[in-house]
Amino acid sequence: MEFKRIHALVLLGTVYLMALYGSYNALMVFGPIESPTQPMRELYRNVFFHVPINAVTYTAFTITLIGSVMYLIKRDIKWDTLASSSAKFGMIFGTLTLITGMVWAQPAWGSYWNWDPRETTTLILWFMFAAYFALRSSVEDDEAKARLSSVIGIFAYVGIPLTYISTTRWFSLHPKVSEFSMTPEMGPVLGMMILGTLALFFYLLWLDVKVKGLKEAKESIGGK
Amino acid sequence: MNLQKVMTIVKKDLRVEFRTKHTINSMLLFAGITLLVFSYVVGLYVKSVPDIGPAILWLILIFTGLIGLSRAFVREKELGTLEGLRLAPISPEEILGGKIIYNFVLMLIVTVIVFPLFIVFMNFPLAGSALLALLLLALGDLGFVIVGSAISVVVMNAKARELLLPVVLFPVLFPIILLSVAALNKVMVEGAGFIDIAGEVKIITAYAGIMLVVSLLTFEYALEE
């Protein structure tokens, strides 16, 4: 299936409308909520940004896994381009996940970093894919780069659930973090934000894959 | 997978290693010197050694293991015997199996020697059973060498492979490091029996099993040229 410019425009429009609708509701419409912890009464609004970004992070790394596995099966460099592009945006969104989470954790839980299982897992995920890029930059041959980073992509993905399980076990003694309950009208808004942010990610991914394809085409005809 | 061929690889590697003993000697010396440094520094500045003892022991073993891992395949590459290995009528899975067992043997030797030295030099009041602690260390070693052997092949073809190995390996190893230290702490400090650490042991075993499957599935791709 060829991905045309019109699809990209539709995606971008979706991003814009959904983000506008979600942000407007999250910041202007909803009032403070009932929460045992005082700061959360207003700060819960971060959920409409933090959760979608986090969803994109994990989607991105799933696409990296798919790209890696498909590369090893098909040996088509396009799959590797998809995997590495997706990992790149996964790292960007992963960094944003960590930052929005830390900014939120300070007033809500008392400190920026708490070694909460979710925090820890996201941090380890971030390091795994940082290593993925460290490996890519130190292998020169394109084929070997694609092949070896695919293997690491698979290892990293398998390591994530194991990391989560091990951290929940390790931190089982910690007090449970008090969560808040969402009102019925917040659900659809959060859903909109998640879909909008995913659309943004797919749009960026499409652009990046396209640019890489053009660069390769240019190199193959001898341009610089 | 033919077990006899796997053992051929193990025997070959052990024979090559014990001809010169370069790797094992380096590992033991490294473990010894880090142990002494830790023992000295910790003894000077830390009030309660038992609280951090198991973590230090496990970190010494992991860093020592890195030396062994980075040698196992790099030696083949440097001596040019990797081509021979590829040509031999031995499947990639059998080569990986052999390397895992070989690295495991090296790690076991180091563990068995370092553990008593650790107790002595850190003046560690061992609360639980020493045998259980050793078995736990051996289980952790197993998880470590499975992932480590597979990943050391991946980084073998990269520039600056010795630098890259820990960077790539540690995030994947995170669950093993976390749970081994947790379980070791329970045994060595709180004197827990096997029942108390069964949960950790289960997850470490599951981790080793899952990673073994992933390693076997991907090793063929990592080894090809």
Side-chain angles (χ1 to χ4, degrees):
Chain A
M1 190 194 75
E2 192 62 29
F3 197 83
K4 295 268 166 48
R5 186 165 298 176
I6 183 73
H7 298 129
L9 280 175
V10 170
L11 262 183
L12 202 57
T14 318
V15 172
Y16 185 71
L17 289 176
M18 284 184 166
L20 194 67
Y21 173 79
S23 314
Y24 179 72
N25 272 292
L27 298 176
M28 311 296 282
V29 177
F30 296 145
I33 54 156
E34 293 300 319
S35 170
T37 44
Q38 186 60 23
M40 280 300 275
R41 281 169 53 80
E42 290 291 343
L43 288 171
Y44 77 93
R45 296 172 203 280
N46 191 6
V47 79
F48 298 101
F49 303 96
H50 179 66
V51 172
I53 292 171
N54 193 19
V56 167
T57 309
Y58 282 85
T59 310
F61 290 130
T62 309
I63 292 178
T64 300
L65 172 80
I66 296 169
S68 300
V69 173
M70 288 309 285
Y71 175 77
L72 290 181
I73 296 171
K74 302 265 185 198
R75 295 306 170 102
D76 184 345
I77 201 79
K78 273 181 191 156
W79 286 110
D80 178 61
T81 309
L82 178 73
S84 65
S85 291
S86 183
K88 182 162 82 187
F89 293 115
M91 273 204 77
I92 295 170
F93 279 91
T95 312
L96 288 174
T97 307
L98 290 172
I99 292 172
T100 51
M102 278 159 73
V103 170
W104 206 9
Q106 159 62 20
W109 300 346
S111 64
Y112 287 109
W113 197 260
N114 302 281
W115 292 110
D116 169 73
R118 283 164 291 183
E119 278 180 335
T120 314
T121 308
T122 308
L123 183 68
I124 293 296
L125 180 76
W126 191 93
F127 271 111
M128 281 176 177
F129 284 90
Y132 175 90
F133 284 108
L135 177 72
R136 284 185 78 86
S137 66
S138 66
V139 182
E140 271 168 11
D141 179 46
D142 280 345
E143 192 275 330
K145 183 193 284 184
R147 182 163 48 79
L148 297 175
S149 61
S150 292
V151 173
I152 292 300
I154 295 169
F155 265 102
Y157 197 81
V158 175
I160 285 305
L162 292 165
T163 306
Y164 187 76
I165 293 165
S166 64
T167 40
T168 43
R169 185 161 181 89
W170 176 249
F171 295 105
S172 58
L173 294 176
H174 278 216
K176 259 221 168 303
V177 175
S178 64
E179 304 288 350
F180 61 91
S181 55
M182 294 212 291
T183 57
E185 63 264 31
M186 286 177 187
V189 173
L190 182 60
M192 280 284 188
M193 283 300 273
I194 292 176
L195 287 177
T197 319
L198 278 174
L200 174 67
F201 160 69
F202 281 115
Y203 174 70
L204 291 171
L205 186 62
W206 172 76
L207 272 185
D208 199 57
V209 170
K210 185 105 182 159
V211 167
K212 278 184 186 162
L214 287 174
K215 265 187 192 159
E216 255 165 47
K218 197 178 167 192
E219 268 166 30
S220 66
I221 56 167
K224 274 191 182 170
Chain B
M1 201 184 217
N2 186 337
L3 204 65
Q4 211 177 346
K5 287 181 180 171
V6 173
M7 291 320 287
T8 311
I9 297 278
V10 178
K11 271 186 222 151
K12 178 213 74 137
D13 272 329
L14 285 176
R15 194 173 297 144
V16 171
E17 173 54 36
F18 281 93
R19 223 175 259 156
T20 59
K21 305 185 193 67
H22 277 163
T23 309
I24 189 77
N25 281 346
S26 308
M27 285 169 87
L28 285 172
L29 279 175
F30 178 80
I33 195 72
T34 36
L35 178 58
L36 285 185
V37 170
F38 269 127
S39 158
Y40 188 72
V41 176
V42 167
L44 276 183
Y45 298 109
V46 179
K47 293 283 179 290
S48 64
V49 175
D51 287 347
I52 56 163
I56 289 179
L57 174 60
W58 184 240
L59 285 179
I60 291 174
L61 285 175
I62 279 198
F63 282 112
T64 308
L66 278 178
I67 297 177
L69 285 179
S70 59
R71 288 306 299 164
F73 279 99
V74 170
R75 179 163 60 203
E76 304 269 8
K77 202 173 167 70
E78 279 171 1
L79 294 177
T81 49
L82 199 63
E83 276 68 32
L85 212 57
R86 283 203 192 94
L87 286 172
I90 297 174
S91 73
E93 290 80 22
E94 286 155 359
I95 295 176
L96 179 67
K99 290 289 184 185
I100 288 176
I101 296 175
Y102 162 70
N103 279 322
F104 188 51
V105 171
L106 288 192
M107 280 302 280
L108 279 185
I109 295 173
V110 172
T111 306
V112 168
I113 294 176
V114 167
F115 183 69
L117 288 179
F118 171 84
I119 301 291
V120 171
F121 278 107
M122 298 292 268
N123 202 10
F124 194 90
L126 188 62
S129 136
L131 182 66
L132 187 60
L134 270 175
L135 286 175
L136 200 57
L137 286 170
L139 183 65
D141 286 345
L142 187 63
F144 173 74
V145 294
I146 288 173
V147 186
S149 303
I151 286 183
S152 67
V153 181
V154 175
V155 300
M156 177 178 68
N157 292 305
K159 290 179 290 181
R161 52 196 163 222
E162 281 85 1
L163 296 178
L164 210 51
L165 183 61
V167 174
V168 178
L169 188 56
F170 277 13
V172 184
L173 270 182
F174 187 76
I176 284 270
I177 299 174
L178 200 61
L179 290 174
S180 294
V181 172
L184 211 55
N185 224 52
K186 281 187 188 170
V187 173
M188 289 173 69
V189 181
E190 296 163 21
F194 180 74
I195 306 294
D196 304 301
I197 57 162
E200 279 87 351
V201 169
K202 260 186 231 163
I203 303 178
I204 297 175
T205 315
Y207 173 92
I210 293 169
M211 284 303 175
L212 183 63
V213 172
V214 178
S215 306
L216 289 174
L217 287 175
T218 55
F219 186 70
E220 194 187 333
Y221 302 105
L223 192 65
E224 69 184 53
E225 190 100 314

